Amino acid sequence: MKEILEILEKDARSTPEEIAQILKKSVNSVKKDIKKLERDGVIIKYKAVLNKELIKDEQRAVRALIEVRIAPQRGHGFDRIAERIYRFPEVVSCYLLSGTYDLLLVVEGRDIHAVSSFVSGRLATLDNVRGTVTHFLLKKYKEDGDILKRVERNKRIAISF
Amino acid sequence: MGCFVMKISKKLQQIPPSGIREFFELVIGTKGVISLGVGEPDFVTPWGICESSIFSIEKGYTSYTSNKGLYELRLQIARSLKKRYALSYDPEREILITAGVSEALDIAMRTLLDHGDKVLIQVPYYVSYYPVSSLAGGVPVFIDTRKTGFRLTPALLEKHISKDVKAIILNYPANPTGVSYSKKELTALSRVFLRNNIVVVSEEIYGDLTYDFPHTPISTLKGMKGKTLYLNGFSKSFAMTGWRVGFACGPEEIIAGMTKIHQYTMLCAPIMGQIGAIEALSGSKRYLVEMKSEYKRRREFILGRLAEIGLECRRPEGAFYVFPSIRNTGMGDIEFAKRLLKEKKVAVVPGSAFGLKGNDHIRISYASRMSDLREACLRIEDFLKNNAR
C-alpha cells in the first residue's frame, strides 16, 4: 500500500496495470488497494500540479498569508472556530500552529481589495478572532516540493557508456 | 594528414576504432530523440553536495590537493567502508583519490602490467577495459559469458586461467548487463583467484545500486583483501558523473605504484569535486534511498514491458541497464539500433559496443524518467510490429 502511494504521489497518472508491473502484483489486487485507499480517504483526489505563476486566473490573482490570533473555546479548543474560517472558499489552506499566533491561512482573491475586504469584513469580525496580520505574497519559488520554474532541458549528452 | 598515421604509436593503432562511433554521431545529430542510451543517472547531483562545493569555491578552495587526495575525503571513505562492510583501509597508505573510477582503472593497469602480461576480461565488458589493458602493454584474454547468462563462473574462469595471467578486471553490478553476484557466488569465484594467485581489480561503481540482495565487495571475503584492488567512485550512487571523483583502495604497494603515475599525470582529482564528495559521504543521504527505489521500480517496469513486447531479457540484479536479446527480430544489433532511431527516434546502444559477438543484444538504460520510458517502450513495440518477420 505504501509503495502504491509513493508511486501515485509522484505520478497520479500511473495506471493500475503499470503499478502492478512495477510491484509484481496482480492488476486486480492493485485496483482493490487503490479503491480502499480512496474509500479510507487516504487518497482524496487526483489533480494536476499547476504553475500558477504562468496562468492568468483573474479570480485568484492575489494570494496572502494571514496570521490569525484566536481565543480558544471551552470544550472545542481551536477546531470549531477553525472550521468557521476554513469553510470560506477564499481560504485555500488553513493550519494550526504553535508560537505567537494560532492559525495560518492562505487566502486567494481577485485583487488586494478583495483579500482585504475578506479579512476586514469576514475574518476579523468573527467573535473569537483577536487579531490578524496579512502578508501579501509577491512570488512563489517552490511549492509542495515542486520548484516553480520552467523545467530546464536535460543536460546529459544523448548517448554515453 | 596521411603521413602522420606513420607517427601514431603501434600500441594505439592496434586498438580498433569503435565500430559504433558513426551510430553515436547519428544519435547526437537527430532531434527529438528519447535516449535510452545514456550511461549516467538522470538525477542531478543532490543540492547539499552542490552547495557545499559552491561555498568552498567562494572561500577560495581552488588549488591542487595532495596527490593522494584530501585527507578528510580519504578518512570519510575509510569510515564509510568500515561501517558498511567492516572493511579496513588505512587512509594514509591504502586509499588514493582519482579523477573518476576510469582514471583509477587506467593507472591500476599501468601499475600492474608488464608487456605481455595477460588480463582476464569478461565479455560483454565496459568499453574501456580492453583499451586501458592493451595500452598498458597487457594482453586481454576474453571470457565469453553468453552461455552462462553473462555470469562468470568458477568453471569459466578455470578454463581461461594460465600461468601468465596476472590480473582480472571484475565488474559487478556490471555495465552493460546489470549482472551481480551473491556472496556465495563471489566466494566460489574467490577460491579460484586465490588458488591461482591473480590480482583482482574489482570495479564496483554500481555497488550501491544492487536491488535483490546486499552488495558484497569481494575484498571482504576471506583471504581476498591482500589480492584485491577495490575501485569505486561517486558518479553513479550520488549522481556525480561530471565531478570526476573516484577512488582506489588496496594493498599499500599497489596504491603507492598508482600514486606514482597519478602524481605525474593527473596530479590530483579536482578539489571542488573532492569537497563535494566529502559532503556526499558526511551529509544527509535521504536521497540515496529515493533514487535507488526509483531505479528499482523502473527496472520492474521495463522488464515487464519487454516481456510484453516479446524481447527476451534476463533479470539484472543491479546498475540501471537491461540487456535484452533481439535475436528473434532478425536484425543485427547495429541495424536494429539505427532503424529504431530513424523510424521511432529511440536510441539504444548495440551490444557489440561492449565487445559482444553475435550482434544480437542491445543495452537499454532505465536511468530516464518514467514518462520517457513509457513512451519509448510504446515506440519499440510499434517498431517491432512494423518490422515483424
Side-chain angles (χ1 to χ4, degrees):
Chain A
M1 296 277 240
K2 196 176 143 242
E3 268 216 280
I4 293 180
L5 287 177
E6 275 176 38
I7 293 169
L8 284 174
E9 203 183 356
K10 238 179 219 163
D11 184 356
R13 293 206 293 185
S14 308
T15 61
E17 287 75 16
E18 200 174 293
I19 297 173
Q21 215 156 54
I22 292 171
L23 301 181
K24 291 205 276 183
K25 285 180 164 180
S26 76
V27 177
N28 271 336
S29 98
V30 170
K31 279 184 177 161
K32 236 173 74 192
D33 286 351
I34 293 177
K35 268 268 140 14
K36 182 171 163 37
L37 289 163
E38 289 170 352
R39 222 177 22 242
D40 294 349
V42 179
I43 296 175
I44 299 174
K45 63 175 167 183
Y46 303 86
K47 62 176 192 177
V49 179
L50 306 180
N51 185 351
K52 293 192 182 158
E53 300 283 295
L54 299 178
I55 311 167
K56 288 272 166 286
D57 180 350
E58 294 190 345
Q59 290 312 306
R60 300 162 160 262
V62 169
R63 268 193 166 214
L65 300 185
I66 301 172
E67 302 171 4
V68 186
R69 279 192 303 115
I70 283 173
Q73 291 170 304
R74 186 161 191 160
H76 298 293
F78 293 100
D79 292 351
R80 233 160 106 172
I81 183 75
E83 187 176 352
R84 290 276 300 266
I85 293 172
Y86 66 62
R87 281 176 169 267
F88 285 112
E90 290 88 342
V91 177
V92 180
S93 306
C94 175
Y95 311 95
L96 178 65
L97 306 180
S98 65
T100 52
Y101 56 94
D102 306 299
L103 293 183
L104 177 67
L105 311 181
V106 180
V107 171
E108 284 180 345
R110 204 173 54 246
D111 50 29
I112 290 186
H113 301 296
V115 174
S116 346
S117 78
F118 171 75
V119 175
S120 56
R122 317 300 299 259
L123 192 63
T125 52
L126 286 171
D127 267 353
N128 296 58
V129 170
R130 288 277 173 78
T132 63
V133 178
T134 302
H135 307 270
F136 284 102
L137 206 131
L138 303 181
K139 185 170 181 178
K140 265 191 285 179
Y141 295 103
K142 186 176 182 181
E143 198 166 55
D144 289 334
D146 295 310
I147 291 173
L148 302 177
K149 223 168 41 171
R150 236 182 255 262
V151 184
E152 285 182 51
R153 292 255 314 265
N154 200 319
K155 296 183 177 68
R156 298 187 297 174
I157 48 174
I159 203 151
S160 57
F161 293 113
Chain B
M1 176 190 150
C3 62
F4 280 105
V5 172
M6 304 292 290
K7 311 261 188 209
I8 303 296
S9 82
K10 293 202 174 55
K11 213 153 76 175
L12 188 59
Q13 285 194 44
Q14 76 183 17
I15 295 174
S18 168
I20 61 161
R21 198 67 253 167
E22 178 208 358
F23 171 67
F24 273 33
E25 298 302 331
L26 212 60
V27 174
I28 290 164
T30 311
K31 284 219 169 81
V33 172
I34 298 183
S35 181
L36 306 185
V38 188
E40 60 178 323
D42 57 315
F43 302 102
V44 292
T45 308
W47 180 246
I49 297 172
C50 299
E51 203 275 336
S52 75
S53 184
I54 293 168
F55 183 57
S56 76
I57 294 173
E58 286 173 342
K59 281 197 299 182
Y61 286 100
T62 57
S63 58
Y64 295 131
T65 68
S66 84
N67 295 129
K68 284 181 179 172
L70 292 172
Y71 180 73
E72 174 65 17
L73 178 55
R74 283 179 278 143
L75 187 68
Q76 291 286 352
I77 289 168
R79 280 191 186 146
S80 122
L81 291 174
K82 178 100 192 160
K83 196 171 146 203
R84 289 193 60 187
Y85 303 120
L87 253 179
S88 300
Y89 285 108
D90 176 357
E92 287 284 8
R93 294 172 301 126
E94 296 176 321
I95 300 179
L96 172 67
I97 309 298
T98 56
V101 78
S102 301
E103 192 218 351
L105 188 78
D106 175 28
I107 58 179
M109 290 299 114
R110 288 197 269 163
T111 299
L112 292 170
L113 300 180
D114 278 315
H115 188 77
D117 282 342
K118 289 185 175 163
V119 189
L120 298 180
I121 296 174
Q122 92 160 80
V123 182
Y125 49 71
Y126 174 66
V127 290
S128 80
Y129 294 169
Y130 162 56
V132 297
S133 313
S134 183
L135 286 172
V139 178
V141 176
F142 295 118
I143 307 179
D144 189 334
T145 54
R146 264 185 306 176
K147 287 195 177 132
T148 51
F150 304 124
R151 310 181 84 78
L152 282 175
T153 62
L156 259 184
L157 279 176
E158 296 280 15
K159 220 174 99 186
H160 291 84
I161 280 175
S162 60
K163 274 216 176 70
D164 37 2
V165 168
K166 195 169 211 176
I168 179 169
I169 303 178
L170 201 60
N171 172 223
Y172 66 97
N175 180 1
T177 61
V179 163
S180 193
Y181 303 98
S182 67
K183 190 170 179 180
K184 201 173 146 199
E185 285 175 286
L186 288 168
T187 308
L189 295 177
S190 74
R191 285 201 193 103
V192 183
F193 299 139
L194 289 170
R195 206 163 42 237
N196 291 280
N197 198 20
I198 290 174
V199 179
V200 177
V201 178
S202 191
E203 204 238 88
E204 300 177 28
I205 187 88
Y206 291 99
D208 284 339
L209 302 177
T210 305
Y211 307 115
D212 302 324
F213 44 79
H215 177 76
T216 307
I218 195 160
S219 44
T220 58
L221 301 179
K222 201 173 159 214
M224 285 304 292
K225 196 182 153 215
K227 300 239 166 276
T228 305
L229 188 64
Y230 170 78
L231 305 184
N232 201 344
F234 295 82
S235 296
K236 314 292 172 167
S237 19
F238 296 95
M240 289 177 71
T241 45
W243 298 68
R244 309 314 302 131
V245 192
F247 55 90
C249 305
E252 187 178 349
E253 300 78 5
I254 299 181
I255 294 295
M258 288 171 68
T259 308
K260 215 192 244 179
I261 304 175
H262 177 77
Q263 74 184 351
Y264 293 131
T265 52
M266 189 60 69
L267 273 75
C268 66
I271 187 169
M272 302 82 180
Q274 292 192 53
I275 288 174
I278 292 173
E279 175 62 27
L281 289 178
S282 58
S284 151
K285 294 192 189 60
R286 200 182 74 170
Y287 50 81
L288 284 187
V289 183
E290 281 168 20
M291 289 196 281
K292 186 171 167 183
S293 65
E294 182 62 28
Y295 286 133
K296 197 175 168 185
R297 281 174 198 152
R298 293 176 189 172
R299 177 184 67 153
E300 297 305 342
F301 172 76
I302 198 112
L303 284 172
R305 287 294 283 133
L306 288 176
E308 284 171 3
I309 292 170
L311 288 183
E312 183 199 326
C313 184
R314 59 163 296 288
R315 187 179 174 74
E317 291 86 9
F320 38 62
Y321 309 107
V322 287
F323 201 63
S325 163
I326 51 155
R327 191 173 311 144
N328 62 9
T329 67
M331 285 178 256
D333 59 350
I334 295 183
E335 185 197 356
F336 181 97
K338 273 189 181 164
R339 286 178 57 183
L340 181 62
L341 180 72
K342 206 170 148 209
E343 292 170 30
K344 293 290 167 191
K345 293 199 170 194
V346 173
V348 297
V349 181
S352 46
F354 308 97
L356 193 69
K357 297 232 162 55
N359 305 330
D360 52 4
H361 284 75
I362 52 167
R363 188 192 76 176
I364 293 178
S365 158
Y366 51 87
S368 279
R369 54 177 185 205
M370 265 306 247
S371 54
D372 281 350
L373 291 179
R374 230 178 251 147
E375 174 62 24
C377 286
L378 282 174
R379 292 189 195 180
I380 294 173
E381 190 166 28
D382 219 34
F383 172 73
L384 291 177
K385 268 185 205 144
N386 296 344
N387 289 288
R389 279 207 288 182

